[in-house]
Amino acid sequence: MGKLGQVETMGLVIIVILIVLLGVFFLAFNLRGEVSSEDRVFLGIKAGNLANSLKSVSIGTSSFGGRVVDWCNGDGSAESDLEEIVLSGFEMIDEKVSVIFECYDGRSLVFGDCSTGIVSEDISLSSGHSFFVRICPK
């Protein structure tokens, strides 16, 4: 009778271990965060739309692109104007977003906390400065 109980216990232990391993593999594949190609296209369109929307914004008598140029030329007050506009754009998107401004001299200004994700096309301004939007999928 003792050996039969040990065999049944070992069988139960093996079944529990298999269930745990299956659960670990299931979680590993589901938590990878892979983005489908349809989602990539959709997020790319969202990023492009936000970039184009930002480009067309007016700030008082100046344009958005004009404030980017002002910041790249050393105007510190332009940063707060840019931040206000960019943060209002973030409210319309339910993913993590970053907007990156790049001056032609290599300096950059980043708003947001998305470090890797789907990127819009680079919006070049007539001054040679540019910016783009990056969206991180959920």
Side-chain angles (χ1 to χ4, degrees), residues 37-83:
S37 60
E38 294 91 19
D39 287 342
R40 285 185 180 280
V41 169
F42 179 68
L43 291 173
I45 291 170
K46 279 176 95 170
N49 285 345
L50 179 57
N52 287 323
S53 296
L54 290 173
K55 183 180 177 185
S56 65
V57 169
S58 298
I59 309 161
T61 59
S62 181
S63 68
F64 181 77
R67 293 310 282 165
V68 172
V69 172
D70 292 344
W71 180 81
C72 286
N73 290 335
D75 182 358
S77 67
E79 184 174 344
S80 62
D81 290 342
L82 292 171
E83 181 178 24

Side-chain angles (χ1 to χ4, degrees), residues 115-136:
S115 59
T116 59
I118 311 300
V119 178
S120 72
E121 75 269 358
D122 206 22
I123 305 290
S124 295
L125 304 172
S126 59
S127 60
H129 310 298
S130 62
F131 71 96
F132 61 92
V133 174
R134 181 183 298 131
I135 296 181
C136 290

Side-chain angles (χ1 to χ4, degrees), residues 85-117:
I85 292 167
V86 167
L87 292 180
S88 68
F90 287 178
E91 293 174 5
M92 293 181 254
I93 297 183
D94 56 350
E95 282 89 12
K96 285 185 176 180
V97 182
S98 288
V99 177
I100 297 92
F101 300 99
E102 296 176 335
C103 303
Y104 63 83
D105 64 4
R107 291 181 298 127
S108 63
L109 176 64
V110 178
F111 295 109
D113 58 355
C114 175
S115 59
T116 59

